[in-house]
């Protein structure tokens, strides 16, 4: 199915949906020192009939570097041109705990969110409809900072388009849908940390999963977006070495750009169940 600009639907508002039934569990990655964020998020979600399951996250600031597990510090430095920050380690480990929760639950899929997202009344139905439209997906990112060179593969019954981006990284792991099969794949292929979690998640060419993205964000970011618990811009700047020492990272990014482009141009996977799938 080839989609063109003329087929793009008008934006949908939450009022376009009835109160959704909870057909997908929603896991919230949240560390103990951010309890207030969790309670604020839960209060808003309940007004829309969304029940949340908290995944107690790993607070990287409480761990000494020597206590980190499955962290390839040298590879991280080579690929990113700087050392791994405590918050990045904690974020990555926290999302892996959410994957483990999904696999243990036996549920076919779940939505994973971070605690700086906002909810509305229609996002669960829109998320489910995207998976119905592209059932071969292992992960569908529902929120991104950017979607450059979007290539549509399918369109949901609500008019949301799902596909891949030729350029990236897209940024953010604040909200995504993941299947149990996808969680099993990523628990195996992403066990060792060598990249920030949001970057690693997008790398379907490397992690062996079918990774897709919604063209438009299904949910907005909440008021707590700027109050990050991972790292501030100053934190990132403080650990960056001189440009010449980051040359291996620049080369890695160039290779990644080529891999991403080729991955986005692959033919759409055939659906295992009903659903129309096809590249642009």
């Amino acid at each position: 199915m080839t989609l063109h600009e003329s087929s793009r639907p008008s934006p949908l508002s939450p009022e376009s949906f009835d109160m959704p039934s909870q057909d997908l569990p929603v896991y919230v990655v949240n560390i103990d020192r951010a309890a207030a964020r969790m309670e604020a998020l839960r209060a808003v979600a309940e007004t829309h009939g969304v029940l949340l399951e908290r995944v107690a996250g790993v607070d990287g600031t409480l761990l000494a570097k020597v206590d980190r597990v499955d962290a390839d510090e040298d590879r991280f430095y080579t690929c990113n041109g700087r050392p791994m920050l405590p918050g990045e380690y904690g974020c990555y480990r926290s999302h892996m705990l959410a994957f483990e929760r999904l696999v243990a639950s036996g549920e076919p899929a779940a939505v994973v969110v971070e605690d700086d997202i906002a909810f509305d009344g229609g996002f669960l139905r829109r998320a489910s409809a995207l998976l119905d439209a592209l059932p071969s997906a292992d992960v569908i990112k529902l929120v991104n900072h950017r979607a450059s060179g979007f290539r549509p593969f399918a369109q949901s019954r609500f008019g949301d388009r799902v596909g891949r981006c030729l350029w990236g990284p897209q940024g953010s792991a604040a909200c995504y849908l993941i299947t149990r099969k996808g969680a099993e794949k990523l628990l195996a292929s992403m066990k060792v940390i060598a990249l920030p979690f949001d970057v690693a998640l997008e790398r379907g060419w490397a992690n062996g999963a079918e990774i897709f993205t919604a063209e438009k964000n299904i949910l907005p970011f909440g008021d707590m977006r700027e109050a990050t618990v991972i790292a501030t811009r100053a934190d990132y700047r403080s650990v960056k070495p001189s440009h010449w020492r980051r040359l291996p990272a620049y080369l890695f990014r160039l290779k990644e750009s080529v891999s991403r482009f080729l991955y986005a141009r692959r033919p759409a996977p055939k659906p295992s169940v009903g659903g129309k799938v096809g590249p642009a």
Side-chain angles (χ1 to χ4, degrees):
M1 176 176 64
T2 301
L3 303 176
H4 303 284
E5 287 294 319
S6 59
S7 67
R8 185 177 299 178
S10 300
L12 297 176
S13 66
E15 290 75 19
S16 303
F17 305 90
D18 296 324
M19 186 70 77
S21 58
Q22 186 102 12
D23 55 350
L24 286 169
V26 179
Y27 300 151
V28 181
V29 175
N30 172 259
I31 58 177
D32 290 345
R33 64 184 169 91
R37 296 166 69 120
M38 182 67 207
E39 291 311 306
L41 187 67
R42 192 187 302 278
V44 173
E46 287 178 352
T47 66
H48 297 293
V50 179
L51 299 179
L52 307 179
E53 296 184 39
R54 179 177 182 263
V55 175
V58 175
D59 191 341
T61 65
L62 302 181
L63 288 173
K65 188 174 179 178
V66 295
D67 293 328
R68 296 176 184 174
V69 297
D70 294 326
D72 189 334
E73 306 279 353
D74 293 338
R75 179 66 175 162
F76 192 99
Y77 192 102
T78 298
C79 294
N80 299 280
R82 58 172 178 79
M84 185 188 308
L85 295 172
E88 290 178 310
Y89 174 82
C91 175
Y92 199 112
R93 281 279 154 255
S94 299
H95 281 271
M96 296 295 275
L97 290 175
F99 295 173
E100 292 175 0
R101 171 81 67 89
L102 174 57
V103 171
S105 75
E107 295 283 350
V111 171
V112 180
V113 304
E114 294 177 346
D115 56 16
D116 58 350
I117 209 71
F119 288 110
D120 64 35
F123 96 95
L124 277 177
R125 287 188 177 179
R126 292 173 71 183
S128 293
L130 284 171
L131 187 57
D132 289 342
L134 197 55
S136 298
D138 292 316
V139 174
I140 300 177
K141 295 191 68 186
L142 303 176
V143 167
N144 297 287
H145 292 320
R146 63 197 72 86
S148 302
F150 179 78
R151 181 172 182 251
F153 280 73
Q155 182 170 295
S156 79
R157 63 182 179 275
F158 293 122
D160 295 307
R161 302 204 301 179
V162 60
R164 288 179 176 147
C165 290
L166 297 169
W167 315 114
Q170 295 163 241
S172 184
C175 182
Y176 56 91
L177 184 153
I178 181 168
T179 67
R180 187 170 72 250
K181 178 184 68 174
E184 291 170 346
K185 289 181 181 179
L186 297 184
L187 281 170
S189 63
M190 288 175 52
K191 179 181 179 181
V192 177
I193 305 174
L195 292 163
F197 178 77
D198 59 326
V199 176
L201 181 65
E202 296 178 15
R203 301 176 71 241
W205 59 91
N207 60 37
E210 295 292 345
I211 312 293
F212 294 90
T213 184
E215 181 182 21
K216 303 292 184 182
N217 285 355
I218 300 300
L219 285 176
F221 288 96
D223 296 336
M224 298 301 294
R225 179 182 180 182
E226 298 303 323
T228 177
V229 295
I230 297 177
T232 65
R233 291 181 181 178
D235 292 330
Y236 289 116
R237 286 196 297 267
S238 70
V239 296
K240 281 188 176 181
S242 58
H243 285 286
W244 72 267
R245 295 185 64 185
R246 283 184 273 165
L247 180 58
Y250 298 146
L251 295 175
F252 174 77
R253 290 171 191 170
L254 177 60
K255 180 181 177 182
E256 287 289 280
S257 294
V258 174
S259 297
R260 181 186 298 273
F261 184 90
L262 295 176
Y263 182 72
R265 294 299 303 175
R266 288 183 189 175
K270 295 181 180 180
S272 56
V273 293
K276 297 181 179 179
V277 179

